[in-house]
Amino acid sequence: MTLPLPDRSPHSAEFEISPESLERARARLAKKWAYLVSKTTYIPMAQLEIERRLVELVDVLFTTMRTEPFSADGATDVGARLVELNFAGRASLRRTVEVLGKSLLGMTDLLPVDRLPERVVGLLGALTSGYVEAVRLSIFTQQENLNRALIKAAQDAQRDSKASEARFDEVFTSSSSGIAITDLDGVFVRANAALGEILDHAPAAFEGLSLFDVIAPEDVAPVRNGLRELADGKSERLRQRRTMLGKDGEAVQAHLAISLLRDGDGNPNHYVVIVGDDTELTLLQGQLSHQSLHDVLTGLPNRQFFTTRLERVLRHADQTFGVTMYHLDLDAFSVIANGLGAPVAEALLKSVAERLRSIFAGESAMVARLGGDEFGVLVQNEAGTPDVVRTVEQINEVLAEPLYVDGNGVASSACIGVVHRPHPDIEAAELLRLADMTLRRAKRNGSRQWGVYDPAQSERDRARFGLAATMPGAWESGEVGVYSRPLAKLDDGRTVAVEALLRWEHPELGQLPHTRCVELAEQIGLVMPLGTWLLRSACQSMAERQVPLGVGLTPYQAADPDLVGEVLQVLEDTGLDPARLQLGVPVRALLSDCGEAADNLAVLADAGIGIVLDGFGTSATDLAFVEDLPVRGVRLAASLVRLQAERSGRSALDRSLTELIAHVHAAGATVIVDGVETPAQLDWWRSAGADFGLGRMFPVLS
């Protein structure tokens, strides 16, 4: 009949994007970020303090994302700040990039931002750059502290005593940093073992060489100029990041710190050169950059990388052949994950990634994991590129081959949405949206389905989705309201009850009926709170009247574990007698394996609430429900009522309906017919034995 669930005023602010709700959303992001990152390293702060610090950084990121013109420089400071706060574990940056990459794309107040995915990628890149640079500077600071100690020890050794010289020798020989003494021409006088290890030379091999022999040719001039400035007193210390040459000319990324030594008279006589190996740090920077743009499990590009590449390809694609995008969603992935566990599911994802790579290996194509069990493929078409039908067939054939994990052969087909040769001026975000809509349309037809983007159908879908998306605001503003229609006895037309229904007074489309409101509400997850509001509003309006009230439930509501408590709470709050309330329970809700709807029905009936089975008569098991459950009445399925109106006079159909009504009466229940539109229909159903009716033959009350 209608719907109910969570208590809500028609002017609820739950769907309003307010500063308070945005602040809560940012706080939730910071809390999630703090939880994930705190598991990667030791942070000498309480959890609440960590969350407070990260809320400040989230605010910086949000401001950066929304600033015009866009510049990701603010995120560089955030990366450096993370290192200052000691969020510098081995996996800290990866966790940070993952949580921010997923969350920023879905934040409500960022949805209007132009080129949002591209900005997110730029933001994460800048954050990574700032993070790595801060790590490097931290290491350099540590090296500088060591350098000062070494230089002081060296100066003391020359100026003071043999004890100082011994102390310098100890530091010189045991240091993990490479240390060398050169003359003013850069010729090595002495080198420690650590320098030999860094450059893969024995210490004795430095004899006769100069510093410039082990520096890459392109870096010799800057170093030579720096030494000259030291000797001239223009600077106190030279710090440069340069490429040095190891054995066989192998490049070594190094940080040089060079200071001038003076003799007892203050005249320059030697240089102290301290070398830090930055090779691993450089490799780490490359790895972190790769991780921020690739899926860790499959190694495929992630959504951020895919979106950025999409922008570039669309701008430069061959206009003759264009591009084709395939959006895949595995059909049985959740079954495999829940039935066989995460290791098998992960193995399947990696297998699907490899198989997709092999399918498109001969094409100019990018395969990406867009998230969960969804994959994207972008093909730059050429003259010999296979057509869409052949490509889809090949994908299905390859994915159908089982993968054996621990003796279990698993495979998952896929539904595929295809956008073939979109307009070259289309935005990347719009192309992704069209591919996703096409995929969702294909999935509605079952497993292993595929479809090609249809502009006309897409426009219809977009209008439907857009209408559903605006429903929360319409409810809050009062456009969605409650009206009543009478339930009448067919034998005399007397009103015996009223049914509460939803109606949307849309400013452009006019009145949208109850069934349309329910359909739209289910699409956006609004049906449960809207249903409870309908029940509460109807009970409040009928509390002072002595007419019974009918309210219908959707299948989701009927099976909701909280249904009984919420219905009883509404009755208590409004003062409506349970005996005056009649709830409609869809028959198909009782067919669920979990049995929750049947349990709810029984408990509500025990509380004195009348139960009517909606959509009755299309299954052979329907009569069993009437016989086994405490049902007061049934409402015949709309399809049966329409069929009778279209084929009135067909003896077999008329006889079947009359017999069905007789069986219901024999089980102790009454029969309701919804859709009595004409006097002829009224006469027929009355003669067939139906008890009550709804429809145009009975005027709407309010």
Side-chain angles (χ1 to χ4, degrees):
M1 293 170 77
T2 318
L3 358 102
L5 268 146
D7 189 3
R8 182 70 49 75
S9 164
H11 299 291
S12 169
E14 179 174 334
F15 299 96
E16 180 183 358
I17 302 177
S18 64
E20 292 78 13
S21 62
L22 296 181
E23 182 177 356
R24 289 194 297 272
R26 298 183 186 189
R28 286 195 298 271
L29 171 55
K31 188 178 186 69
K32 181 178 180 181
W33 188 4
Y35 172 79
L36 292 175
V37 176
S38 63
K39 290 180 174 294
T40 64
T41 186
Y42 169 72
I43 303 173
M45 283 184 282
Q47 190 68 17
L48 289 178
E49 178 64 14
I50 295 174
E51 293 174 12
R52 188 184 69 79
R53 298 292 183 90
L54 291 186
V55 165
E56 296 173 357
L57 300 187
V58 168
D59 288 338
V60 173
L61 295 177
F62 271 66
T63 301
T64 301
M65 288 289 292
R66 302 180 65 171
T67 300
E68 298 292 348
F70 173 69
S71 171
D73 291 344
T76 305
D77 297 334
V78 171
R81 183 66 179 145
L82 288 174
V83 177
E84 292 179 15
L85 295 173
N86 204 41
F87 296 142
R90 296 181 62 184
S92 298
L93 181 59
R94 178 169 61 83
R95 292 289 177 85
T96 292
V97 169
E98 288 176 354
V99 69
L100 293 180
K102 293 176 182 177
S103 299
L104 291 177
L105 289 174
M107 297 300 289
T108 304
D109 57 335
L110 292 181
L111 293 180
V113 173
D114 185 42
R115 297 178 177 270
L116 176 59
E118 185 175 343
R119 291 194 180 196
V120 170
V121 171
L123 192 82
L124 295 179
L127 186 148
T128 299
S129 175
Y131 182 97
V132 172
E133 180 64 15
V135 171
R136 185 178 68 83
L137 290 176
S138 176
I139 294 173
F140 289 169
T141 299
Q142 297 174 17
Q143 291 176 340
E144 277 294 298
N145 293 335
L146 176 61
N147 294 347
R148 292 189 182 95
L150 292 172
I151 293 169
K152 185 177 185 302
Q155 291 171 339
D156 289 345
Q158 285 191 325
R159 186 172 54 248
D160 297 325
S161 65
K162 291 183 179 180
S164 296
E165 184 174 342
R167 190 162 56 250
F168 171 77
D169 285 343
E170 177 63 24
V171 173
F172 186 90
T173 56
S174 62
S175 174
S176 60
S177 296
I179 305 174
I181 306 294
T182 74
D183 63 18
L184 295 180
D185 293 324
V187 177
F188 287 106
V189 175
R190 187 180 177 187
N192 70 351
L195 182 61
E197 292 178 3
I198 292 172
L199 299 181
D200 197 19
H201 284 302
F206 290 100
E207 185 176 348
L209 295 179
S210 77
L211 177 62
F212 308 110
D213 293 327
V214 293
I215 291 179
E218 63 271 17
D219 287 343
V220 167
V223 174
R224 192 183 296 278
N225 292 336
L227 294 182
R228 188 177 301 113
E229 291 183 356
L230 285 175
D232 294 342
K234 295 181 179 179
S235 61
E236 295 182 357
R237 186 174 294 108
L238 174 66
R239 289 188 294 267
Q240 294 182 353
R241 191 177 184 185
R242 296 297 174 190
T243 301
M244 301 189 73
L245 302 177
K247 190 175 181 180
D248 300 324
E250 181 181 357
V252 176
Q253 300 302 317
H255 174 255
L256 299 180
I258 305 177
S259 298
L260 182 67
L261 294 179
R262 299 179 182 273
D263 59 21
D265 297 327
N267 298 316
N269 64 352
H270 289 91
Y271 293 110
V272 176
V273 182
I274 302 176
V275 180
D277 188 355
D278 278 0
T279 303
E280 291 187 4
L281 188 61
T282 302
L283 292 174
L284 174 63
Q285 185 174 4
Q287 292 172 355
L288 292 175
S289 177
H290 182 274
Q291 288 180 5
S292 68
L293 297 174
H294 289 75
D295 174 52
V296 176
L297 178 64
T298 63
L300 294 177
N302 59 18
R303 180 180 286 272
Q304 286 84 7
F305 190 5
F306 186 78
T307 303
T308 302
R309 175 68 179 275
L310 195 55
E311 292 272 11
R312 186 164 57 252
V313 170
L314 288 172
R315 288 195 295 269
H316 299 95
D318 188 323
Q319 295 189 4
T320 303
F321 301 106
V323 302
T324 302
M325 179 175 170
Y326 299 85
H327 189 176
L328 293 79
D329 187 357
L330 302 184
D331 293 321
F333 182 74
S334 60
V335 175
I336 294 170
N338 294 330
L340 299 178
V344 176
E346 290 177 355
L348 177 63
L349 289 174
K350 289 191 282 189
S351 173
V352 170
E354 289 300 323
R355 294 180 186 190
L356 290 176
R357 277 198 190 104
S358 67
I359 292 172
F360 294 95
E363 305 294 332
S364 178
M366 170 186 265
V367 180
R369 184 183 177 193
L370 301 183
D373 59 344
E374 296 187 20
F375 295 83
V377 182
L378 178 65
V379 180
Q380 299 182 60
N381 297 319
E382 300 173 352
T385 300
D387 60 36
V388 170
V389 176
R390 288 176 56 196
T391 301
V392 171
E393 289 176 348
Q394 187 177 12
I395 291 174
N396 285 327
E397 290 174 2
V398 171
L399 295 187
E401 184 178 347
L403 167 71
Y404 288 90
V405 182
D406 297 331
N408 297 304
V410 296
S412 178
S413 59
C415 286
I416 307 172
V418 184
V419 182
H420 183 54
R421 296 185 61 184
H423 193 281
D425 294 334
I426 190 172
E427 295 289 337
E430 177 67 6
L431 178 55
L432 287 168
R433 188 189 67 81
L434 296 180
D436 182 74
M437 287 183 61
T438 306
L439 169 64
R440 304 306 158 194
R441 190 182 310 121
K443 285 174 67 68
R444 289 199 291 268
N445 296 325
S447 301
R448 195 170 174 170
Q449 301 296 311
W450 68 281
V452 178
Y453 165 65
D454 175 9
Q457 181 62 46
S458 178
E459 190 59 35
R460 290 192 292 272
D461 288 345
R462 185 168 189 171
R464 185 174 73 256
F465 295 152
L467 184 61
T470 61
M471 193 174 191
W475 179 27
E476 194 275 338
S477 65
E479 290 180 12
V480 178
V482 179
Y483 78 100
S484 301
R485 62 173 180 167
L487 176 70
K489 290 192 67 175
L490 293 183
D491 57 2
D492 59 12
R494 180 169 53 89
T495 296
V496 295
V498 296
E499 181 183 33
L501 301 172
L502 292 171
R503 183 163 59 196
W504 184 352
E505 299 287 351
H506 196 281
E508 297 176 1
L509 302 178
Q511 288 186 355
L512 300 184
H514 175 80
T515 53
R516 182 71 166 138
C517 290
V518 173
E519 174 191 341
L520 295 171
E522 286 184 333
Q523 290 180 11
I524 58 172
L526 188 63
V527 71
M528 306 292 270
L530 192 59
T532 296
W533 174 74
L534 170 63
L535 176 64
R536 180 172 292 274
S537 299
C539 289
Q540 286 174 340
S541 66
M542 298 299 295
E544 301 301 325
R545 301 169 63 180
Q546 297 304 311
V547 181
L549 169 67
V551 179
L553 306 175
T554 68
Y556 293 114
Q557 291 174 279
D560 182 15
D562 297 327
L563 174 66
V564 172
E566 291 177 348
V567 171
L568 297 180
Q569 186 64 53
V570 168
L571 291 176
E572 180 181 345
D573 293 344
T574 60
L576 185 72
D577 185 351
R580 289 175 50 207
L581 177 62
Q582 184 170 279
L583 294 178
V585 177
V587 171
R588 61 190 179 101
L590 299 173
L591 300 175
S592 171
D593 292 338
C594 66
E596 196 76 48
D599 293 341
N600 287 341
L601 182 155
V603 176
L604 291 170
D606 286 343
I609 298 170
I611 302 297
V612 173
L613 296 185
D614 285 345
F616 184 86
T618 60
S619 171
T621 62
D622 290 3
L623 276 172
F625 290 135
V626 179
E627 295 170 352
D628 298 339
L629 298 173
V631 174
R632 186 176 296 175
V634 302
R635 184 195 301 225
L636 295 181
S639 59
L640 294 179
V641 178
R642 286 195 301 269
L643 191 62
Q644 193 284 325
E646 293 169 359
R647 302 183 182 182
S648 181
R650 305 283 183 91
S651 59
L653 174 63
D654 291 351
R655 186 167 54 253
S656 296
L657 291 173
T658 302
E659 291 175 354
L660 178 63
I661 293 172
H663 284 305
V664 173
H665 286 160
T670 59
V671 177
I672 301 171
V673 180
D674 187 356
V676 182
E677 309 293 326
T678 65
Q681 287 179 273
L682 175 60
D683 291 340
W684 191 92
W685 286 109
R686 182 190 298 132
S687 65
D691 302 289
F692 305 102
L694 296 151
R696 294 179 184 173
M697 291 299 298
F698 314 104
V700 175
L701 299 178
S702 61

